[in-house]
Amino acid sequence: MKLVLKFAIIALLTISSQNVIAQTKTIQGTVTDPSGFPLPGASVNVEGTQNSASTDFDGKYSLKGVNASDKITYSYVGLNSQTIVVGGRSVIDITLVQTTQNLNEVIVGYGTQKRTKVTGAISTVGSKDIAAVPITNAESALQGRAAGVTVVNGAPGSNPTVTIRGLATMGNSAPLYVIDGVLTSNLSGLSPNDIESMSVLKDASTTALYGSKAFNGVIMVTTKKGKKGPGQLNFSTYIGSQTITKRYDVLNTQQYLQYAKDLGSDLTARAAEFGNVNTNWQDEIFQTGLMQNYNLSFSNGTETSTGRYSAEYLKQEGAVINTGFERYSFRANNTQDIGRLRVGSNVGISFSTINPERNSGGRTLLEHAIKMAPYLPVYNGTNLGGYQGPSAIDGNDAENPVRVANLGYQKINNLSIIGNIYAELDIFKGLKFRSQVSLDYYTGKDHTFIPSYSDGSYHKQAFSTTNETNTQGQTIVFDNSLTYKTTIAAKHNIEVLGVITKIDGKSQNLIAGSRYNISDEIDQLRYNEGNLSSANYVEKNIGYIARINYDYDDKYILAVSGRRDASSRFGANNRWGNFYSIAAGWNIAKEGFMANSVFSTLKLRASTGTTGNDRIDNYQYSATLLADYNYPIGGGNAPGVSLGVASNPDLKWESKNDRNIGLDFGLFEDKFTGSLEYFNSKSSDILFAVPLSASVGSAGGGTQIQNIADVKVSGYEITLGYNDRKGDFTWSATANLGTSKNEVTSLAPGVTSVLGGPTARAGLENFSRLEVGQPLFYFYGYQTNGIYQNQAEVDAVFGPGQTIIKPGDIRIIDRDGNKIINSSDKTNIGNPYPDFTYGLNITAAYKKFDFNCFITGVQGNDIYNANTFDLKGMNRLFNASTEVLDRAVVVNGVVTNPSATLPRAQGADINWSSANQRYIEDGSYTRLKNITLGYTLSGETFDSHFSNIRFYISGQNLITITKYSGLDPEIARADTNANSAGIDLGRYPQPKSVIFGLDVKF
C-alpha cells in the first residue's frame, strides 16, 4: 500500500511539473519613453527571480520562462519604474514616464515644489546637458545654459568664477552652493557624473530662505540616487588632449637686436655669445596636455531602500608646463524606509592634487615669456640650476619662465568631505518632521620647494627654500524642520514650513617657511632661518525660517517666507538681520477660457523680497594690529606694532531688495517652451574695506570695513526651447539670453570714490573705480586721440615752452581744457561686466547616431589688456610686439610716418605710466564651447552583454570669434573680489581640446 502511495505522489508531482512547464511562456514587447521614442538598455526583470533582460537599440526585449502570475518590472534611469502582472498576455508594450520630480517638480530651498506652483526665478540644468560636455568642474556645466549666469573658467583645479544676475556687491560675489542640502562654497570635489540636476535660484522668492548666505544667488545641486529595480552598473571613460594654439606676435632675435639699438643698447655681441639662438618663449611654456577620466557607478533599490555608489579618477595635464589637476572622488547615497520613518545619507569624499601655474616677482609665466629676450637660450648647463636668464648687460629683468615653472615644485593637496545624514518622520497625514546634520570638512596643504639657482646676475638664489601652508576647517549645520500639507475643500492647497538652522564653522591656518644653505636635497621645514605664523577663526550663525505656500486649484498661487538671522561676523549692535519674500502666480493656461488654446503652459508670476550678506572676514568689527613695524626713535629703528583693521562696532548687514516678474509658456503640448524675466534689485549698505591714512595710526595697508554704498541692478532674461521627438530623426534646441546693468546710486558721507584693482606698478596702478552714477569698478583712466605729429600740435594744446610732451607722444584728451594733463582728466574708459550673456544648445539623434552642439558667448564687456602694456608700452627694454617696428619715428620734431598708431619709444611718461584707453579692448566673444558626435552599438552580440555601449568624439573651444587681441577673452579674476574682473595680467587661457569617450551600461 505504501509503495502504491509513493508512486501516486511521484506521478502527481510529475504531472504538476509538466503543467507548470506548459504554463510558462515568452513575453515580448517594446519599451518607450513618454514621446514614444524607443529606450535602449531598459531593464526588464521578473520580480523575485534572476530572470531578466535588457532592451536593444530599438527598445525591444524578449523574456523567456515567464508565468501568468509573475510580475515584471520595467525600469530605466531617470524614468519611473513600472510593474505589470503578466496574466494571459504574450506581448507587453510599456511606456515609461519621467519621474515625478523630473517632470513636475523642481528643487527649492528646504524641499521641492511642483513646477506649476513655482513663483520664483529658477533655471535648471539636467544630467543630460551636464553629461553632454566632458568637464572637470561642475560649475562649468552652467556656462551658457542658464540665463543670467556668467561663468569664467581658469587654470586646471581652480574654481570657476560664477556670477548670477550681474554684480550686486563689492566683495565676494560667488553664489551659495547647496549639495543635497549641504551648504558649501564651491563644487570642486564633486564629479559632474554624479549630478542629477542643478537649479539656479535667482530671486528673493527662491533665495530668501537661505538668508545671509543667499545674497549672490543659490545653486542647488541634486546628486543621482538609487532607484527601485534591478541593479545598474555604469562605466564611462574619456581620454583626450588640450593645447593653446594662439600666440602673441613678438620680435625675433634679429628684430629685437635692432629694436634694442634704437633704444640705446647694442646687444649684437651678447647674442653671438649664445650662438644667435631664436627662442620662442611662448612655445616653451605651452604644451599639449593629456586628459583622462574613469567613472564607475552602481545603483539599485527595493521597495524600502535605495542606494547609489560611485568612484571617479580624473587627471588633467595643463596646457601650460608643470600645471595640472588630479582628483579621486567617491560618493555614496542611501535611503531606507522604516514604516513611517525614512532615514538617509549623502556622502562625497574627494582627494585632489593641484600643480598650479607658478609665478615669480609678481609676474605670471606668460608675462615673463613675452618680455624675455629671444637671443637667450632656455638652458645653460654651466649655470647653477641649469637655466639661462638675463644679466645686467641684457638690460632686461624678465625671468626664465621655464625655470620658474620647472625648477623645484609646488603642489596643493586637498581633502574634502561633504555629506549629511537625515531622518524624516511622518507624524500623521500631511505633517512631517525632518532632522538633518550636514558636514563640510576640508584640509589643504600648499607646499613649495625651490632649490638654489643662478641663471644670471639678475636672478639667483644661494639657498633652497621650503614654504608650506596648512589649512583645516569644517562647517557643521544642524537643520530641524516641520512641514504640514493639507487640502481644504479639494481646491485650497496649503503648505506650511518651519525651520531652525544653526551653523558652526571653524578653521585654522599654519604658515611656515625656511631656508637651507648646505644642500638642495633637503626639502624639510626647519627652525633656523625660518618663519612661522598661524591664524584661526570660529564662525556661528543661527536662523529661524518660516514659509507658507497657498494655491487655489493650481490656478492662483501665493508664497510668503521670512527668515531671521544672526551672524558672528557683526558686532553686538547689528548682529541680527531680517529677510522676507512675497510671491504670487497665475496659471492662466488652467482657466476655462484657455481650454482650446494652443497654450499647454501659460503662467504669470511676480515676487519681491530681501536677502542679506555677511561675506567679510571674521572679527572685522574689532580692531587688529599689524606686527613687525619699525618706528624711527633716537636715530634708529624700534620694533613695534601699528593699526591694522580699525574697529567698527556699528558694522551691519548688506541687504538686497529683489523684484522679479516672469512669464512661462509652452505651446502644442510644450513642443515650444519659453520664459521671460525682468528683475530689478537694490543693494544697500554694501560692505567694503576702506584704506586708512597714516594719520589715524596705520602704517600703511590698514583698512576699516564700512557700509559705504548702494547699488542697483536690473536686466532681462529670455529662454526658448523646441523639442521634436518623433521619427528616426529627432532634435531639440534651447537658447537663452540674459542682460544685466549695475550702477552705484550712493556712497557713504565723506566717500567720493574708491579705487581697486591689481597691485600697483607702472602703468597698472589701481584703476578700477567705484563712483556714484557709474558701474561697479569701471576702468578709470585717460582717453586718447592719436599721436602728436609735430610741435605745433603740441603747442596748440599745452602752449609753447613745456618740454615734457613732444611730437610722437600719445595725445591724451585734456578734458577740462586747462592745458595740464592730470588726474582731473581721467574718466570712464571701460566696463568689465558684459551687457548680456547667451547660449545655444542643439541636440539631435538619427538611429544609432547622436549629436550635440553648444555655443556660448558674452557681449559688451571690456578687458584691460595689461599684456598690451607690456608689449607696446616701450618704456624700457623688453621684448615687444612686432607692431613696435611701425612706431612713430620723429625726425627734426616731425613724425615721419603719420599713419603710426604707436607712440615713440621711451617717450613721455604719460605714454605708459598710467591707465589709458590704449589698453582697453572689446572682450565680447562667441565660442563653440562643445561639439560631440556619438554612436551607439547594438545587435545580438552586444545586447547579450551590455544594456548600452556608446562611443563619442568631442571637441571643446575649437572656434572662438572675438576682436580681443589677447590669447583668450575668457579672463579669470586674479582673486575672488569684483575689483579685479576683466584685467588680463597674463591669465591662464582656455585651451582647445579633443576627447574620445566611451559609455557602457551593464
Side-chain angles (χ1 to χ4, degrees):
M1 188 60 158
K2 291 182 179 180
L3 185 60
V4 174
L5 182 59
K6 288 181 180 179
F7 277 112
I9 293 173
I10 292 172
L12 181 62
L13 291 174
T14 302
I15 295 170
S16 298
S17 64
Q18 288 175 346
N19 287 337
V20 170
I21 293 172
Q23 289 173 359
T24 62
K25 54 186 174 181
T26 298
I27 303 298
Q28 296 178 331
T30 303
V31 181
T32 58
D33 68 7
S35 62
F37 191 75
L39 289 174
S43 297
V44 184
N45 182 68
V46 178
E47 281 198 353
T49 74
Q50 297 297 317
N51 190 6
S52 63
S54 297
T55 57
D56 62 16
F57 183 79
D58 296 319
K60 298 183 182 299
Y61 71 94
S62 178
L63 200 60
K64 298 179 180 180
V66 181
N67 297 307
S69 59
D70 284 340
K71 295 180 180 178
I72 301 178
T73 297
Y74 301 83
S75 60
Y76 189 83
V77 176
L79 301 177
N80 267 333
S81 298
Q82 192 172 155
T83 301
I84 299 293
V85 178
V86 174
R89 292 176 290 181
S90 297
V91 176
I92 302 177
D93 295 329
I94 291 294
T95 298
L96 297 180
V97 299
Q98 288 180 286
T99 60
T100 301
Q101 178 174 307
N102 287 341
L103 183 63
N104 297 321
E105 296 185 347
V106 292
I107 304 297
V108 295
Y110 299 98
T112 61
Q113 199 170 30
K114 285 186 177 181
R115 290 185 182 274
T116 56
K117 298 182 180 181
V118 171
T119 52
I122 301 178
S123 293
T124 300
V125 179
S127 58
K128 288 185 178 180
D129 289 332
I130 296 171
V133 182
I135 52 177
T136 58
N137 47 66
E139 294 96 327
S140 296
L142 296 172
Q143 187 175 23
R145 297 183 185 275
V149 179
T150 303
V151 180
V152 181
N153 294 285
S158 64
N159 297 317
T161 301
V162 180
T163 307
I164 299 175
R165 288 190 163 179
L167 191 65
T169 185
M170 296 185 296
N172 188 335
S173 60
L176 169 69
Y177 296 92
V178 183
I179 305 174
D180 293 329
V182 183
L183 279 59
T184 186
S185 59
N186 59 70
L187 304 179
S188 60
L190 180 62
S191 166
N193 289 293
D194 287 334
I195 299 177
E196 181 67 34
S197 68
M198 301 175 70
S199 294
V200 183
L201 314 185
K202 296 183 281 190
D203 71 331
S205 173
T206 54
T207 63
L209 287 182
Y210 288 105
S212 62
K213 305 298 181 183
F215 190 88
N216 299 312
V218 180
I219 297 177
M220 307 283 295
V221 179
T222 302
T223 61
K224 295 175 181 177
K225 309 295 192 297
K227 294 180 172 62
K228 296 177 181 179
Q232 177 78 62
L233 180 65
N234 296 335
F235 173 74
S236 63
T237 182
Y238 64 76
I239 186 169
S241 64
Q242 53 182 8
T243 184
I244 297 168
T245 57
K246 193 173 181 180
R247 302 286 190 271
Y248 283 107
D249 191 7
V250 296
L251 303 175
N252 60 31
T253 294
Q254 182 179 359
Q255 294 168 328
Y256 182 81
L257 293 176
Q258 181 59 51
Y259 175 66
K261 281 185 179 180
D262 294 344
L263 269 62
S265 297
D266 189 348
L267 299 171
T268 305
R270 177 66 168 168
E273 179 183 338
F274 297 108
N276 290 308
V277 299
N278 185 28
T279 303
N280 187 319
W281 290 98
Q282 294 176 84
D283 287 346
E284 296 295 333
I285 66 169
F286 294 138
Q287 66 177 5
T288 298
L290 298 180
M291 301 171 60
Q292 52 185 312
N293 177 275
Y294 308 92
N295 183 275
L296 184 67
S297 66
F298 176 77
S299 65
N300 67 343
T302 67
E303 291 298 323
T304 58
S305 66
T306 64
R308 184 180 185 275
Y309 312 92
S310 67
E312 182 181 81
Y313 172 69
L314 167 71
K315 186 173 183 180
Q316 177 186 13
E317 292 180 355
V320 173
I321 57 174
N322 207 17
T323 63
F325 178 54
E326 187 175 26
R327 181 181 66 207
Y328 297 86
S329 58
F330 308 89
R331 174 160 288 274
N333 295 338
N334 294 279
T335 65
Q336 179 70 51
D337 293 338
I338 310 171
R340 292 185 297 169
L341 179 66
R342 188 185 195 209
V343 296
S345 65
N346 304 283
V347 180
I349 302 175
S350 73
F351 306 87
S352 66
T353 299
I354 302 172
N355 296 104
E357 179 185 7
R358 299 167 69 183
N359 57 59
S360 182
R363 294 170 178 165
T364 65
L365 286 182
L366 180 61
E367 185 177 352
H368 285 303
I370 62 179
K371 286 183 172 182
M372 274 288 286
Y375 61 76
L376 293 175
V378 177
Y379 305 101
N380 187 338
T382 63
N383 287 340
L384 178 64
Y387 294 91
Q388 180 62 53
S391 295
I393 191 174
D394 299 296
N396 179 328
D397 66 353
E399 297 187 53
N400 184 325
V402 180
R403 189 261 300 162
V404 173
N406 286 343
L407 188 64
Y409 70 93
Q410 180 180 7
K411 284 188 178 181
I412 303 173
N413 294 310
N414 294 317
L415 163 66
S416 171
I417 302 175
I418 297 177
N420 64 8
I421 56 174
Y422 63 89
E424 291 181 350
L425 177 64
D426 293 325
I427 301 174
F428 58 80
K429 184 179 180 181
L431 182 63
K432 180 175 67 177
F433 174 76
R434 178 183 172 104
S435 184
Q436 174 177 294
V437 179
S438 304
L439 171 68
D440 181 1
Y441 174 83
Y442 58 90
T443 63
K445 182 175 79 171
D446 185 345
H447 187 93
T448 303
F449 172 72
I450 302 176
S452 60
Y453 65 90
S454 177
D455 56 15
S457 61
Y458 274 146
H459 307 297
K460 54 187 176 180
Q461 179 176 290
F463 45 80
S464 66
T465 60
T466 299
N467 291 281
E468 185 169 300
T469 300
N470 285 299
T471 303
Q472 179 180 353
Q474 66 181 39
T475 300
I476 299 177
V477 182
F478 302 90
D479 289 321
N480 290 287
S481 64
L482 198 61
T483 305
Y484 179 67
K485 294 182 180 181
T486 188
T487 299
I488 301 173
K491 293 187 177 181
H492 299 272
N493 302 302
I494 301 173
E495 178 185 7
V496 181
L497 169 71
V499 183
I500 298 177
T501 181
K502 184 174 183 293
I503 301 175
D504 288 328
K506 63 180 180 180
S507 178
Q508 58 185 19
N509 301 316
L510 181 65
I511 303 173
S514 63
R515 297 179 178 181
Y516 202 77
N517 295 294
I518 301 175
S519 172
D520 287 334
E521 303 299 321
I522 300 177
D523 177 15
Q524 297 292 331
L525 293 166
R526 58 197 303 269
Y527 179 74
N528 294 334
E529 297 188 70
N531 60 79
L532 179 68
S533 64
S534 65
N536 58 63
Y537 76 81
V538 175
E539 175 191 358
K540 293 185 180 294
N541 183 289
I542 189 168
Y544 301 95
I545 305 163
R547 179 178 67 195
I548 300 176
N549 291 333
Y550 166 81
D551 73 87
Y552 175 77
D553 199 23
D554 268 359
K555 294 180 183 178
Y556 314 114
I557 310 163
L558 180 67
V560 180
S561 70
R563 176 163 177 154
R564 180 166 171 79
D565 258 340
S567 172
S568 62
R569 289 178 173 172
F570 301 110
N573 293 357
N574 293 295
R575 182 154 287 168
W576 288 90
N578 300 313
F579 314 102
Y580 74 92
S581 74
I582 301 173
W586 178 23
N587 272 317
I588 306 172
K590 291 184 177 293
E591 296 288 357
F593 60 81
M594 297 289 291
N596 297 318
S597 73
V598 297
F599 287 96
S600 46
T601 300
L602 186 61
K603 180 174 63 177
L604 182 65
R605 48 189 169 77
S607 66
T608 185
T610 60
T611 53
N613 189 23
D614 65 346
R615 292 195 182 186
I616 54 175
D617 290 338
N618 290 284
Y619 314 120
Q620 295 298 297
Y621 57 85
S622 178
T624 63
L625 299 176
L626 295 174
D628 301 324
Y629 181 72
N630 292 324
Y631 288 86
I633 298 177
N637 290 328
V641 297
S642 173
L643 181 65
V645 174
S647 64
N648 185 356
D650 295 323
L651 205 62
K652 61 182 178 180
W653 293 83
E654 288 184 15
S655 63
K656 182 171 67 171
N657 191 312
D658 270 324
R659 291 165 293 277
N660 189 88
I661 299 175
L663 177 68
D664 303 323
F665 60 87
L667 293 86
F668 308 111
E669 299 301 323
D670 284 354
K671 189 171 186 177
F672 296 91
T673 60
S675 67
L676 307 174
E677 305 272 359
Y678 169 74
F679 64 92
N680 187 313
S681 66
K682 181 179 180 181
S683 301
S684 303
D685 301 316
I686 290 180
L687 296 160
F688 192 73
V690 177
L692 295 174
S693 64
S695 62
V696 299
S698 171
T703 60
Q704 183 183 48
I705 297 292
Q706 299 178 9
N707 300 96
I708 69 166
D710 295 345
V711 175
K712 67 178 181 180
V713 183
S714 61
Y716 297 89
E717 295 168 1
I718 303 173
T719 301
L720 300 173
Y722 173 79
N723 294 284
D724 181 3
R725 298 196 178 277
K726 294 182 179 180
D728 288 340
F729 177 77
T730 63
W731 71 286
S732 64
T734 58
N736 69 79
L737 182 147
T739 74
S740 176
K741 180 181 180 181
N742 69 68
E743 179 185 336
V744 178
T745 57
S746 67
L747 290 172
V751 180
T752 57
S753 65
V754 178
L755 286 175
T759 302
R761 61 184 177 85
L764 290 175
E765 79 278 11
N766 292 329
F767 55 79
S768 295
R769 195 179 200 218
L770 185 75
E771 183 183 15
V772 173
Q774 296 284 354
L776 277 169
F777 292 113
Y778 68 93
F779 296 145
Y780 181 66
Y782 294 115
Q783 292 178 318
T784 61
N785 185 21
I787 295 171
Y788 289 109
Q789 300 295 312
N790 51 57
Q791 190 63 43
E793 289 186 2
V794 174
D795 293 342
V797 175
F798 299 100
Q802 67 84 32
T803 59
I804 298 175
I805 307 299
K806 296 181 179 180
D809 288 332
I810 288 290
R811 187 192 303 270
I812 302 294
I813 295 179
D814 183 14
R815 290 175 51 81
D816 57 11
N818 64 356
K819 297 190 176 183
I820 299 174
I821 300 299
N822 55 27
S823 60
S824 298
D825 298 305
K826 292 184 177 181
T827 186
N828 184 338
I829 58 174
N831 182 357
Y833 293 96
D835 295 330
F836 62 86
T837 61
Y838 55 90
L840 172 65
N841 188 44
I842 300 173
T843 60
Y846 179 73
K847 294 186 177 181
K848 299 180 182 182
F849 291 93
D850 61 86
F851 171 79
N852 174 263
C853 177
F854 177 43
I855 298 171
T856 184
V858 301
Q859 183 68 37
N861 63 304
D862 296 306
I863 295 176
Y864 189 100
N865 190 349
N867 305 297
T868 299
F869 164 79
D870 292 328
L871 293 171
K872 302 177 184 179
M874 296 179 290
N875 59 310
R876 54 173 294 193
L877 182 57
F878 287 119
N879 203 354
S881 166
T882 54
E883 293 181 36
V884 303
L885 300 176
D886 298 320
R887 66 190 182 277
V889 177
V890 182
V891 178
N892 297 324
V894 177
V895 175
T896 60
N897 53 338
S899 62
T901 58
L902 296 187
R904 63 190 176 105
Q906 297 180 321
D909 288 356
I910 199 69
N911 289 349
W912 51 267
S913 63
S914 297
N916 66 62
Q917 208 171 23
R918 293 175 59 202
Y919 312 126
I920 302 296
E921 298 187 44
D922 184 359
S924 305
Y925 69 87
T926 299
R927 171 167 283 168
L928 178 60
K929 192 65 181 179
N930 177 76
I931 185 167
T932 299
L933 180 64
Y935 182 79
T936 301
L937 296 175
S938 64
E940 185 175 347
T941 302
F942 297 104
D943 296 344
S944 60
H945 296 88
F946 307 102
S947 296
N948 185 68
I949 180 167
R950 171 179 174 264
F951 294 91
Y952 66 88
I953 180 173
S954 179
Q956 283 80 48
N957 305 322
L958 298 183
I959 300 174
T960 301
I961 300 173
T962 183
K963 295 179 180 179
Y964 182 59
S965 68
L967 301 189
D968 184 26
E970 191 173 324
I971 304 300
R973 292 184 192 173
D975 50 42
T976 60
N977 292 322
N979 59 21
S980 67
I983 302 172
D984 188 354
L985 295 167
R987 309 308 300 171
Y988 201 109
Q990 290 302 296
K992 297 179 180 180
S993 62
V994 177
I995 290 172
F996 299 89
L998 169 67
D999 296 325
V1000 181
K1001 295 180 180 178
F1002 297 92

